[in-house]
Amino acid sequence: MSEEVKQLLRRAPIFAGLDERQIDALAGLVVRRKYKARETVLEKGDPALHIYIIASGRLKAITAGAMGRHATFSVMGAGEVFGEVALLDDQPRSATITALEKCELLTIGRAEFLHFLERSPSAAIALLRVLAGRLRRLSEKVEDGAKLEVVGRLAKQLLRLAERYGKKELDGVRIDLKLSQQELGDMVGATRESVNKQLRAWVEAGIIHKRSGNLVLCDPEALAAFGTAE
């Protein structure tokens, strides 16, 4: 197996603590797959046949929300793993995964990966940390939904995206991720119209502005104030 695949595996936090022998064994199980922007990787309800490691690109995880609306759970980037929950409990996929841009994924079959975990306790513990982190983020979103109005939820979401995908520029922090207003609405449980209205208000107030399809946060402190429940 190529050294490139081994390097890609080492970038994933779940595999960062593995020794060279374990990485070699894992790399031998990998199949590389490429996806186009907006292409669906897997659908909610699909059988759990593989675990996925993101080598490059970014994807979103969506599931059906209230009254048939979509609710985006998260945006994922290089080094992250997905598909592990259904893999572990042998249940159908709980979300649909779609590429936001061109992506390359490393896939490992279910039986092979479970056998690998049985022989690698450190990888199994790292996977538990990944699952615990996701549970914390989901709990925070539920709490935000109960305490914050749309403006607060949107402000906190923009700050989270800036923390993960932000690039410092002279006039603020640019979110290096192109998301439609509908996708932002799905993330915070709001309509596209509500998101559009709030973004316009923030642009007029000089808190954010738009550049080439990206949002630039000019005043993160003001956004943080909106994201604080009273």
Side-chain angles (χ1 to χ4, degrees), residues 9 19 43 50 89 96 105 124 150 175 181 187 212 220 226:
L9 289 172
D19 60 33
E43 294 271 7
H50 301 87
D89 67 7
T96 295
L105 307 178
V150 170
I175 298 175
Q181 292 178 358
M187 282 183 164
S212 302
F226 281 113

Side-chain angles (χ1 to χ4, degrees), residues 8-9 27 30 60 79 87 89 133 144 147 217:
L8 291 171
L9 289 172
V30 165
K60 65 176 180 178
L87 203 74
D89 67 7
D144 286 348
K147 292 183 176 180
L217 309 190

Side-chain angles (χ1 to χ4, degrees), residues 55-182:
S56 64
R58 286 169 284 203
L59 306 95
K60 65 176 180 178
I62 57 177
T63 187
M67 299 178 65
R69 285 183 51 81
H70 281 160
T72 299
F73 274 170
S74 62
V75 175
M76 303 174 291
E80 294 191 71
V81 173
F82 65 89
E84 76 290 340
V85 173
L87 203 74
L88 292 173
D89 67 7
D90 198 21
Q91 296 296 310
R93 299 295 188 188
S94 59
T96 295
I97 309 294
T98 304
L100 288 169
E101 55 199 27
K102 287 197 303 184
C103 295
E104 181 177 3
L105 307 178
L106 309 180
T107 69
I108 303 174
R110 180 178 189 273
E112 292 86 351
F113 186 68
L114 291 179
H115 184 56
F116 174 80
L117 288 181
E118 289 172 353
R119 294 178 289 118
S120 179
S122 58
I125 291 171
L127 180 58
L128 290 176
R129 291 196 187 101
V130 170
L131 294 173
R134 289 188 183 164
L135 182 58
R136 285 182 182 274
R137 290 193 293 272
L138 181 58
S139 296
E140 184 179 358
K141 288 193 72 171
V142 171
E143 184 177 354
D144 286 348
K147 292 183 176 180
L148 298 174
E149 299 296 331
V150 170
V151 60
R153 299 199 301 273
L154 182 58
K156 288 192 72 171
Q157 185 62 56
L158 292 181
L159 291 170
R160 290 190 194 105
L161 291 171
E163 183 179 354
R164 294 186 65 190
Y165 305 113
K167 293 187 180 295
K168 282 268 192 177
E169 300 193 347
L170 292 176
D171 55 350
V173 180
R174 177 173 60 86
I175 298 175
D176 187 26
L177 185 66
K178 292 186 178 180
L179 294 169
S180 69
Q181 292 178 358
Q182 183 63 63

Side-chain angles (χ1 to χ4, degrees), residues 22-77:
Q22 292 170 313
I23 288 290
D24 285 342
L26 192 64
L29 305 175
V30 165
V31 175
R32 301 173 73 166
R33 302 181 188 275
K34 294 184 178 181
Y35 295 86
K36 301 174 183 176
R38 305 296 169 178
E39 185 175 356
T40 298
V41 175
L42 55 87
E43 294 271 7
K44 181 178 180 179
D46 284 350
L49 303 178
H50 301 87
I51 188 170
Y52 298 80
I53 303 100
I54 305 173
S56 64
R58 286 169 284 203
L59 306 95
K60 65 176 180 178
I62 57 177
T63 187
M67 299 178 65
R69 285 183 51 81
H70 281 160
T72 299
F73 274 170
S74 62
V75 175
M76 303 174 291

